[in-house]
Amino acid sequence: MKRMIIVLTSVMVLSGLILAFADTVFQPKIQANQQKALETSLAATFPNAKSPKFTQLPTSKMQLYKGTDASGTLLGYAVEIVTNGYGGPNHLIGGLAPDLKTNAGMSVVSDSETPGMGSRIADQWFRTQFDGLNPLETITYVKNAKPTTGKNQIEAISGATISTRAVLSGLNSSLGEAVSLIKKNTGK
């Protein structure tokens, strides 16, 4: 009995040391991959831009970025959004046009949704529905129908209403606040 306790304790300590070592070794690579995914998603929010560059705006409330193209022309602004969907947290980027009155796009950094269902929030057909909508008005969704023009609506993902609602909740709760913070930060 005493020998079994010593063996189990030794295995547990060794396993803990191996996990701690692996975490230390791979953490820089994990952070680099997360940063690359963020940069890719920021660029995807402004797909027509050539060589976009993003600088983080100084604010403690949320992660805001100012996007410019290679010539320094303002593309717009982006806000990081984390919202809980059906499968867990979804990390999104909401884009705002330079006038701050229009959505410039939406991209997905990572999602925890069911593959083939809720994960369709990352599909282009779903993401592009947000282009041109008013970030200061509530965005709503319709099921099994085309959105009404001028109503700030999108078409929900069939069979994944919870995921659709999660995206809308994140955008609706973040974009208005982002506009206020950007105006305060840039003096617009």
Side-chain angles (χ1 to χ4, degrees):
M1 179 74 161
K2 189 175 183 182
R3 183 174 178 197
M4 185 170 67
I5 291 173
I6 292 170
V7 169
L8 287 174
T9 303
S10 299
V11 168
M12 186 174 60
V13 169
L14 183 63
S15 296
L17 289 172
I18 290 171
L19 286 172
F21 175 75
D23 183 57
T24 303
V25 169
F26 295 118
Q27 195 60 282
K29 183 75 169 167
I30 291 168
Q31 289 174 344
N33 286 337
Q34 289 172 335
Q35 183 63 31
K36 185 177 180 183
L38 174 63
E39 290 169 3
T40 301
S41 294
L42 285 167
T45 306
F46 302 96
N48 298 327
K50 294 193 180 190
S51 304
K53 293 183 173 128
F54 296 91
T55 54
Q56 191 167 358
L57 297 176
T59 176
S60 60
K61 290 195 172 205
M62 56 179 42
Q63 302 296 317
L64 294 172
Y65 301 89
K66 178 181 178 181
T68 55
D69 65 12
S71 67
T73 303
L74 180 64
L75 298 171
Y77 300 91
V79 57
E80 282 188 65
I81 301 164
V82 178
T83 184
N84 286 317
Y86 181 75
N90 297 318
H91 189 175
L92 314 171
I93 300 290
L96 296 163
D99 66 2
L100 301 176
K101 296 177 183 175
T102 315
N103 280 349
M106 189 275 287
S107 61
V108 179
V109 179
S110 64
D111 71 77
S112 301
E113 298 300 331
T114 307
M117 293 293 285
S119 67
R120 293 182 6 215
I121 62 172
D123 289 355
Q124 184 176 0
W125 76 268
F126 182 74
R127 290 183 296 110
T128 57
Q129 293 185 91
F130 296 93
D131 298 355
L133 297 181
N134 186 338
L136 300 175
E137 291 181 18
T138 301
I139 302 169
T140 59
Y141 68 91
V142 293
K143 289 175 151 181
N144 304 317
K146 293 291 177 197
T148 305
T149 305
K151 289 253 186 178
N152 235 37
Q153 290 180 335
I154 60 146
E155 184 178 353
I157 299 171
S158 180
T161 309
I162 294 172
S163 302
T164 301
R165 279 195 300 241
V167 170
L168 292 180
S169 171
L171 290 171
N172 285 331
S173 67
S174 299
L175 292 178
E177 183 179 1
V179 168
S180 297
L181 287 170
I182 292 166
K183 285 180 176 179
K184 184 178 176 182
N185 196 288
T186 61
K188 282 192 170 192

